[in-house]
Amino acid sequence: PGRCRLGAKDEEDECDRATEGEESGEEQQEDEHWDEWGEDQEAEGAQERVVDLFSDRVFGSVALMLEHNLEKHALNLHLIKQQHGLDSYGTIRLINWIRRQVEVEGAEAVLAELGTHQLPAAFDREAEDLLLPVLREDPVLGFFFGEDDDDWSSDQDEP
């Protein structure tokens, strides 16, 4: 900073090269803060708490919960998503619909409605209110997001 002066083009280039690797104390603290935030996020991911779709049972990951639902209830959400052409938002709606209906009707009734991987007649794949999570910070909702080509991605911003 003290070495840099406005002036000839050569001096500006030298100034740019001299300050390229320098960071202020504030910038270093901000970098450290973001590094800590990333570590916190990784630690949280390792201790994920996933509530089952059909009970109060808690699993350590979405994959474990889905495996349990496949084994215990013969319910395969991946298959339902694929068979019925649900995009990520449709899958989020279905998960929230299941959670709501289990509270109202009970798990057995909802499982019967899902039948052999069918979408229940009462399920509205366009319902905006089903985009609102039933459980706060439900990791199941994010698990399926981005699996299909119809979702937004950063590639769409490029010409």
Side-chain angles (χ1 to χ4, degrees):
R3 300 177 299 206
C4 300
R5 291 180 294 142
L6 290 177
K9 174 84 174 113
D10 291 339
E11 289 177 3
E12 288 177 29
D13 289 342
E14 286 179 30
C15 177
D16 289 341
R17 284 191 297 271
T19 59
E20 274 179 359
E22 294 179 11
E23 283 190 27
S24 70
E26 186 176 306
E27 287 172 335
Q28 286 175 344
Q29 285 179 335
E30 187 174 314
D31 287 346
E32 289 171 8
H33 170 74
W34 283 111
D35 289 343
E36 290 171 8
W37 180 81
E39 290 168 5
D40 290 345
Q41 296 302 311
E42 288 173 14
E44 285 177 18
Q47 299 172 3
E48 193 170 48
R49 293 181 41 86
V50 181
V51 178
D52 184 33
L53 294 174
F54 301 100
S55 70
D56 292 332
R57 186 170 174 187
V58 176
F59 295 87
S61 73
V62 175
L64 288 172
M65 188 272 299
L66 293 173
E67 183 179 319
H68 165 78
N69 283 307
L70 183 59
E71 291 173 3
K72 181 165 181 166
H73 308 295
L75 180 75
N76 184 335
L77 282 177
H78 286 287
L79 185 61
I80 292 174
K81 179 182 188 301
Q82 183 181 42
Q83 282 182 341
H84 297 283
L86 296 176
D87 64 4
S88 294
Y89 294 104
T91 307
I92 288 169
R93 286 180 176 105
L94 179 61
I95 291 164
N96 285 325
W97 183 87
I98 291 170
R99 290 200 187 279
R100 286 183 186 178
Q101 293 308 110
V102 165
E103 289 176 2
V104 174
E105 299 176 16
E108 294 306 316
V110 174
L111 284 164
E113 286 184 70
L114 291 168
T116 56
H117 299 100
Q118 297 303 307
L119 289 179
F123 172 67
D124 179 1
R125 64 169 66 208
E126 301 298 323
E128 293 297 315
D129 65 318
L130 289 176
L131 291 174
L132 300 173
V134 173
L135 300 180
R136 187 172 178 228
E137 298 181 20
D138 187 351
V140 181
L141 301 179
F143 184 79
F144 292 96
F145 201 83
E147 285 189 345
D148 51 73
D149 296 333
D150 294 334
D151 292 330
W152 175 88
S153 74
S154 59
D155 294 348
Q156 292 175 345
D157 289 341
E158 295 175 11

